[in-house]
Amino acid sequence: PVPGRCAYFVERKKRFCKMIPAPGKRFCGEHGQQEEENDRKRIPCPLDPKHTVYEDQLQKHLKKCNSREKPKPVYFVQDINAGLKDVAEIPENQVPISSLSKEELENLIIKLKKASNGLQLRLQEQILSHQALQEALNDPRNGESAFKHLKQQASILGNMEKLHLLGPGRCFVEFGAGRGKLSHWVDVALQNVENVQFLLVERATTRFKVDGKHKRRGSVFERLRVDIQHLCLNKVPILEKKKLPVVGIGKHLCGAATDLALRCLVESYTACSDEEKEEPAPKRSRTDKTKVSSNKSTDNERNKDDCKPVAGIVVALCCHHKCDWTHYVGREFFKSVGLGPVEFHYFQRMSSWATCGMRETTAKASTSEESEDQTNETEDHEQTASKTEIGSDFLQGVLTVEERKEIGCLCKLLIDHGRLEYLQQRGYKAALQYYTESAVSLENVLLTAVPVPSLIPEPT
């Protein structure tokens, strides 16, 4: 062993422990039980069995263990965006697709095509760019993977600009933020704009974060480490204080996370709280009544325009096979076309067929070379479906690769259309479009929504 280091030999790693023991000790605290003179027993920590603790010091350890439950932030509200409360609606035993008979699979496909009848099967292309990323796009030091991410981010910003969402006095909430690169580019695009805030929502700890590098006085970056399912934007202190209109953004927001984010924005968040709406008007003198009556319609119109808590939503969709009926916002649409949780279960699994047709080529193209951008937001989104669902001999005997791809695209479209109807019923003009080429990303659909009263007519 190295002098001054623990004398315990770690068999699994074929080396001595590198921890520094206490003065006069041969072993570190973790391996102290190896000392012959020490007969104190160490047990696995009940909060995290990956480390151990002296049994007689367990209660003291539990009070300071890093794995103990931390106090919940003020904006944590249990299951506020979860959706379905009655789990009895969901069947307990879900049979995998590979266990279905040929007739059952054919019936599912018939139901899918019937429900998709009348939907726009080919989305409009809105492949745009933005000046903020031109320098990075032209930088030859960026590799192919980084270039693909930059093209997607540029198109997302281009679509935001077209919807008039890039402007002052806004709070941009990036869901599934990861390293925060999308917010970074929005900030670059708004470098001469004041009163801009960014909330980066991510439930996991993230390395190589870029938001910590922002020192611009006009913008404020804050991370919210919370699951979207439990996020109440109303209680975020910075939003409580300023009441800025919110723009919800996300790049490759996986499966159910999209539904949770939509419900978080559209249902659980409102800039004009119920208390404010119910607050009685102050008493006015008799001489003010004429002035009040004359300005009544103007004030109502102003209040109507000012109380728009969500200015817009721009989310790149991803991983429909990770959707969940419990959280899905389009359940009413599915029911309206004669479908339910059982069909949803199979359609969300079959949606992976839309990208699995490219599995062999993408697998060959993706070598061991990885960039930092691929740490959290990679084309792994496109290749996470189980092989059982994709390439079983049963499916290959019933459907060709092209047929599977077509069915997978229909499943994704049907799930996304439910999200469109959900937003439309709540006063938004929502749309789906291809925001990048399939060669850049197989998950190339962007969901956008703006409140109807704020729409600006396009020039004819």
Side-chain angles (χ1 to χ4, degrees):
V2 179
R5 299 295 177 94
C6 178
Y8 182 80
F9 186 78
V10 185
E11 187 64 34
R12 181 172 60 87
K13 297 184 178 180
K14 304 299 180 185
R15 62 165 173 79
F16 286 95
C17 174
K18 294 183 179 181
M19 299 298 291
I20 300 175
K25 303 287 186 180
R26 292 183 60 231
F27 300 95
C28 66
E30 184 71 20
H31 303 122
Q33 75 271 26
Q34 301 299 316
E35 292 188 87
E36 296 177 2
E37 68 272 15
N38 191 348
D39 58 354
R40 295 167 69 192
K41 182 181 179 183
R42 291 185 72 89
I43 60 173
C45 173
L47 299 178
D48 182 5
K50 292 180 181 178
H51 66 273
T52 61
V53 60
Y54 284 117
E55 189 174 26
D56 57 357
Q57 291 186 340
L58 177 60
Q59 295 307 316
K60 181 180 178 181
H61 170 80
L62 291 177
K63 294 178 182 179
K64 61 180 181 179
C65 178
N66 289 333
S67 298
R68 70 189 185 282
E69 187 176 1
K70 307 293 191 301
K72 297 288 190 268
V74 292
Y75 46 79
F76 181 98
V77 178
Q78 185 73 36
D79 293 329
I80 187 171
N81 305 313
L84 186 64
K85 300 294 188 293
D86 184 13
V87 294
E89 184 179 328
I90 305 171
E92 292 185 7
N93 299 320
Q94 302 282 14
V95 180
I97 295 176
S98 55
S99 300
L100 296 175
S101 67
K102 184 177 179 180
E103 289 74 23
E104 288 173 325
L105 182 60
E106 288 174 346
N107 285 335
L108 273 175
I109 295 172
I110 290 171
K111 285 184 178 181
L112 172 66
K113 292 183 176 179
K114 182 179 179 181
S116 304
N117 189 29
L119 301 184
Q120 183 182 353
L121 301 181
R122 180 67 185 175
L123 304 180
Q124 183 180 0
E125 284 192 355
Q126 289 283 0
I127 303 174
L128 307 176
S129 190
H130 196 277
Q131 187 62 34
L133 290 95
Q134 288 310 304
E135 185 178 347
L137 285 168
N138 295 328
D139 191 343
R141 292 175 297 178
N142 287 320
E144 182 182 354
S145 176
F147 181 70
K148 287 182 177 182
H149 286 292
L150 289 169
K151 287 195 71 173
Q152 294 174 66
Q153 289 153 347
S155 184
I156 291 174
L157 260 67
N159 277 276
M160 291 175 68
E161 187 173 52
K162 184 174 182 179
L163 294 171
H164 309 283
L165 297 178
L166 294 177
R170 301 273 168 87
C171 179
F172 296 89
V173 182
E174 183 178 358
F175 293 94
R179 296 176 57 207
K181 289 299 283 287
L182 184 56
S183 291
H184 162 77
W185 289 117
V186 173
D187 186 57
V188 172
L190 299 174
Q191 56 183 329
N192 297 321
V193 174
E194 298 298 322
N195 195 20
V196 178
Q197 298 174 355
F198 293 90
L199 294 176
L200 282 69
V201 183
E202 180 59 62
R203 65 182 179 182
T205 54
T206 308
R207 299 174 65 198
F208 309 116
K209 295 186 284 289
V210 297
D211 42 290
K213 302 175 183 178
H214 290 270
K215 305 295 182 185
R216 188 165 67 83
R217 295 174 61 187
S219 60
V220 178
F221 278 76
E222 182 180 343
R223 276 193 174 259
L224 307 180
R225 189 180 169 188
V226 63
D227 194 310
I228 305 171
Q229 182 170 332
H230 313 300
L231 172 61
C232 180
L233 286 176
N234 262 337
K235 300 193 176 193
V236 177
I238 200 168
L239 285 178
E240 271 190 319
K241 182 180 179 181
K242 290 203 173 183
K243 301 289 186 187
L244 292 179
V246 162
V247 179
I249 60 176
K251 176 174 174 285
H252 287 174
L253 197 55
C254 281
T258 294
D259 301 297
L260 296 172
L262 292 179
R263 195 175 282 109
C264 175
L265 291 165
V266 174
E267 292 187 36
S268 69
Y269 176 65
T270 170
C272 302
S273 64
D274 294 335
E275 291 82 3
E276 290 174 323
K277 290 177 182 177
E278 295 173 3
E279 185 178 349
K283 292 183 179 180
R284 298 176 182 269
S285 64
R286 200 173 282 182
T287 57
D288 290 336
K289 289 184 178 179
T290 305
K291 185 177 179 181
V292 171
S293 60
S294 64
N295 291 335
K296 186 175 180 181
S297 60
T298 306
D299 289 340
N300 286 341
E301 289 176 6
R302 187 183 298 113
N303 289 336
K304 183 180 179 182
D305 289 338
D306 290 343
C307 295
K308 291 198 230 58
V310 179
I313 301 170
V314 179
V315 174
L317 303 174
C318 179
C319 297
H320 294 71
H321 62 276
K322 290 186 178 180
C323 290
D324 190 307
W325 178 259
T326 305
H327 306 311
Y328 181 52
V329 296
R331 292 193 301 268
E332 292 305 317
F333 163 70
F334 256 64
K335 292 176 182 177
S336 71
V337 292
L339 303 175
V342 175
E343 290 82 8
F344 180 84
H345 166 75
Y346 289 120
F347 292 164
Q348 53 106 193
R349 298 307 305 166
M350 291 158 65
S351 69
S352 62
W353 296 352
T355 55
C356 72
M358 298 290 289
R359 176 172 295 273
E360 292 184 6
T361 54
T362 52
K364 291 176 183 177
S366 59
T367 62
S368 59
E369 179 184 350
E370 289 187 3
S371 68
E372 286 182 5
D373 276 332
Q374 287 180 300
T375 306
N376 290 308
E377 44 180 358
T378 72
E379 274 64 35
D380 287 290
H381 292 271
E382 300 158 3
Q383 302 189 39
T384 49
S386 66
K387 293 181 180 178
T388 305
E389 304 286 4
I390 295 171
S392 68
D393 294 336
F394 164 70
L395 290 177
Q396 290 178 2
V398 177
L399 301 168
T400 65
V401 171
E402 285 303 317
E403 288 173 334
R404 291 205 302 273
K405 186 175 179 181
E406 180 186 350
I407 291 169
C409 289
L410 274 182
C411 291
K412 291 164 77 76
L413 179 66
L414 196 66
I415 292 172
D416 289 338
H417 191 79
R419 291 164 170 165
L420 280 187
E421 287 213 355
Y422 168 81
L423 291 168
Q424 290 166 356
Q425 289 171 2
R426 282 156 181 80
Y428 289 83
K429 180 180 179 181
L432 295 167
Q433 52 264 318
Y434 296 120
Y435 77 103
T436 191
E437 301 91 348
S438 58
V440 172
S441 175
L442 295 176
E443 297 283 15
N444 61 342
V445 174
L446 189 71
L447 171 64
T448 62
V450 289
V452 173
S454 69
L455 289 179
I456 299 175
E458 294 185 3
T460 56

